[in-house]
Amino acid sequence: MTWIYSLFSGPSGFSANSRAEDVTNGIDGTGLTAIVTGASSGIGLETASVLAMRGVHVIMAVRNLEVGQKVKAGICAKTPNAKLDVMELDLSSQASVRKFAADYIAKDLPLNILILNAGIMSPPFTLSQDNIELQFATNHIGHFLLTNLLLDTMKKTSTKSQKEGRIVVVSSDLHKMSYPEGIRFDKINDEKSYSAFYAYGQSKLANALHAKELARRLQEERANVTVNSLHPGVIKTNLTRNQGIVASFFSRLALSFLKNIPQGAATSCYVALHPQVKGVSGEYFADSNISKAGKFVDDPEMAKKLWEFSLNLTQLK
């Protein structure tokens, strides 16, 4: 796993030490519009802030509007010319996802960049409002539905603007530590065999498989939209708030290897904006460089099965 980071630059010229501001230095995002989910804290906040700094119109998709507005004010204090909007989105609720997408489309806004960043980690077994295990529902299904509902908008924007659309899926190297069978299609809601840790890995594997299969489909269509997944790094954010004593111990033990938030947001910003990524699709990134994903990510049958499974869960079929 990419947990002990190299300080040496990779082929891109960047390393684990690079910050989001570093990897976007000199890039002008004026005229681009991006949605960032989970933009009110952690690497989502930093991603939104840096994109806005580079001139991108950022829609902050957040669960709590009041918190989102305060975060927006903080970004604007730092970047007075920032163009930001805050919209409510609860990824654990398909009704909320559908409302967000409908409201966004009604605004007739373009969409160049979609960053699927929000997530939860290792809660006790819980079912979402739609009766789906909460990590799988929030980290994968909510983002899968959101992407499908906004995909036509992205395609139209790329055609009209003649600019490549980019979908950025924040996965994790922990996708390599899912259940032994990868995605447990028949046991998503099995409380007896539920492991908070492996279920998180499963949801992150689903993120990477989603990116892989969507990239394949868009390439077949010759759509000018790319899709890539990434590992942001091991970062101390409130994502770990549900970890138990053992996990917290190892988090403290690994403290010297953790990235800070600006470093953690770097790969998202790199994949979203950097010209080096133009035309690149279906890849997995870490430390702002193409990296090696786990074995299941290269399993086209699992990717296709997950796609059909997700369509059924979101009633898109």
Side-chain angles (χ1 to χ4, degrees), residues 3 81 184 240 297:
W3 280 25
N81 294 327
R184 304 195 315 166
T240 60
V297 180

Side-chain angles (χ1 to χ4, degrees), residues 122 133 135-136 174-184 193-205:
S122 301
E133 187 276 311
Q135 292 188 87
F136 195 77
L174 286 176
H175 79 268
K176 300 170 184 175
M177 298 186 71
S178 179
Y179 294 102
E181 62 269 48
I183 306 293
R184 304 195 315 166
S193 60
Y194 174 78
S195 159
F197 179 77
Y198 288 131
Y200 178 75
Q202 175 177 249
S203 71
K204 295 287 101 179
L205 173 58

Side-chain angles (χ1 to χ4, degrees), residues 195-231:
S195 159
F197 179 77
Y198 288 131
Y200 178 75
Q202 175 177 249
S203 71
K204 295 287 101 179
L205 173 58
N207 290 154
L209 285 167
H210 173 211
K212 198 81 169 180
E213 177 64 9
L214 180 55
R216 184 189 68 79
R217 289 169 177 263
L218 290 171
Q219 286 168 339
E220 281 189 353
E221 292 178 33
R222 298 180 182 271
N224 191 23
V225 178
T226 62
V227 194
N228 294 288
S229 60
L230 64 90
H231 171 54

Side-chain angles (χ1 to χ4, degrees), residues 14-70:
F14 302 112
S15 72
N17 237 10
S18 301
R19 302 167 305 155
E21 289 188 31
D22 300 329
V23 302
T24 58
N25 187 38
I27 297 175
D28 184 3
T30 303
L32 299 177
T33 303
I35 292 173
V36 181
T37 69
S40 61
S41 64
I43 63 173
L45 191 165
E46 181 70 7
T47 299
S49 178
V50 171
L51 292 185
M53 182 189 301
R54 302 305 179 209
V56 179
H57 176 196
V58 179
I59 286 77
M60 303 168 60
V62 302
R63 288 184 64 185
N64 187 311
L65 285 175
E66 184 178 351
V67 171
Q69 291 293 351
K70 289 178 180 177

Side-chain angles (χ1 to χ4, degrees), residues 104-124:
Y104 189 87
I105 291 168
K107 292 177 184 292
D108 200 27
L109 288 169
L111 183 56
N112 305 93
I113 301 165
L114 175 60
I115 301 182
L116 309 179
N117 164 83
I120 59 170
M121 184 178 187
S122 301

Side-chain angles (χ1 to χ4, degrees), residues 260-289:
N260 58 39
I261 288 174
Q263 291 168 338
T267 306
S268 293
C269 290
Y270 173 77
V271 177
L273 279 187
H274 207 284
Q276 289 177 353
V277 189
K278 181 175 173 58
V280 177
S281 196
E283 296 289 350
Y284 180 74
F285 286 78
D287 302 336
S288 302
N289 284 275

